[in-house]
Amino acid sequence: MSEQSGAGRVVWVTGAGSGMGRAAAVAAADGGRRVALSGRRPDALESVAEDVRAAGGEALVVPLDVTDVAAIDAAHARIADAWGGVDDLVLSAGLNTPRRTWENQRIDDFRSIVATNLTAVAAVVQASIADLRRARGTVVAISSVAGWAFKPGAGIAYAASKTAVGALCRDLNVAEWPNGVRATHLCPGDVDTEFLSMRPEVPDAANREGMLSPDDVARAVLFALDSPAHVRIDELVITPTHLR
Ligand SMILES: NC(=O)c1ccc[n+]([C@@H]2O[C@H](COP(=O)([O-])OP(=O)(O)OC[C@H]3O[C@@H](n4cnc5c(N)ncnc54)[C@H](OP(=O)(O)O)[C@@H]3O)[C@@H](O)[C@H]2O)c1
């Protein structure tokens, strides 16, 4: 059976203003999808919208702080007004902190990280679930290798929240497959993006050599989105070759 055509489908991308969200949004537009772009920085989203349109796609800029559940519902309503609903989700918004050990972590940071990496994933899916059922939709949650296997140094809140995203995806797959909804727990290793500035030791150019690029991950996102409807990519781990 051939790949599922994404042409005309509406994909809502969170964390769309930069990094993997940006790359996935442009790649999805290249495949003919209409792309709703969410993140907190409107200027970054406008710049991605230009790239989407240059790729021949349609873009809708929907600024959003994903930790604000009421704002998620309002953002969903905006997309539904414009395009009738959401067919697929790419959830890339994420947060970490340099203070990630038992010596220096702060519980306020912990709460924000869980709110961004986990609760927001649940809230965006919840806001979209009726649409996803109607459209036989795919959810791609951009998690982390730290959500696939224990990774020392990733951060307590980060690893806990990303691991829980795996459980959320499994639940979606078990509970929602009769409704045609499927989810992918996408677990990248090191990717050369702005996100690395949240590490206790920010990698320099030499240390970024050989890391994944956002486009590498976007290819994996499109693989999950474009797989035929009877195929479920439960979990996908994608790492740089050099990862030990
Ligand atoms: N880079 C890596 O090595 C790596 C590895 C594995 C997994 N990941 C995961 O990959 C995902 C994407 O990260 P990236 O590497 O592409 O870094 P990135 O460029 O920093 O992307 C993260 C995006 O999340 C958005 N965001 C953060 N908090 C948000 C909020 N409260 N509401 C809405 N949007 C929010 C940011 O936009 P605004 O600031 O404009 O809101 C930003 O565009 C994250 O979930 C991260 O945990 C990263």
Side-chain angles (χ1 to χ4, degrees), residues 10-105:
V10 173
V11 59
W12 185 8
V13 183
T14 70
S18 59
M20 293 175 241
R22 177 184 190 124
V26 176
D30 199 33
R33 285 184 164 77
R34 292 175 284 170
V35 191
L37 305 163
S38 283
R40 291 167 301 182
R41 290 167 295 167
D43 52 337
L45 300 175
E46 290 295 348
S47 150
V48 180
E50 279 174 27
D51 292 347
V52 163
R53 290 175 192 126
E58 286 181 65
L60 183 69
V61 170
V62 188
L64 171 66
D65 181 339
V66 294
T67 63
D68 179 341
V69 174
I72 287 175
D73 290 338
H76 172 263
R78 268 200 64 198
I79 301 165
D81 276 354
W83 286 338
V86 173
D87 299 324
D88 302 299
L89 295 173
V90 175
L91 305 172
S92 191
L95 184 66
N96 204 346
T97 173
R99 297 182 295 266
R100 39 179 89 172
T101 70
W102 293 108
E103 280 70 40
N104 66 10
Q105 75 167 346

Side-chain angles (χ1 to χ4, degrees), residues 118-131:
L118 175 61
T119 312
V121 170
V124 175
V125 172
Q126 192 70 57
S128 309
I129 194 73
D131 294 0

Side-chain angles (χ1 to χ4, degrees), residues 13 39 113 116 126 134 225 227:
V13 183
I113 291 165
T116 308
Q126 192 70 57
R134 176 192 41 74
L225 289 179
S227 289

Side-chain angles (χ1 to χ4, degrees), residues 139-233:
V139 177
V140 181
I142 302 200
S143 180
S144 168
V145 285
W148 168 64
F150 180 66
K151 186 165 179 270
I156 302 156
Y158 188 78
S161 59
K162 293 293 191 180
T163 301
V165 170
L168 187 153
C169 289
R170 276 196 296 280
D171 193 282
L172 263 179
N173 279 329
V174 170
E176 290 296 326
W177 76 262
N179 299 319
V181 179
R182 58 185 181 175
T184 298
H185 184 225
L186 181 49
C187 302
D190 295 343
V191 188
D192 186 1
T193 69
E194 296 168 15
F195 208 77
L196 303 181
S197 66
M198 288 184 273
R199 287 192 176 173
E201 286 173 30
V202 179
D204 61 15
N207 282 317
R208 290 177 190 237
E209 284 279 318
M211 285 187 179
L212 300 174
S213 72
D215 288 337
D216 294 328
V217 180
R219 285 176 51 239
V221 171
L222 265 289
F223 172 65
L225 289 179
D226 288 342
S227 289
H230 69 287
V231 175
R232 188 170 89 195
I233 315 292

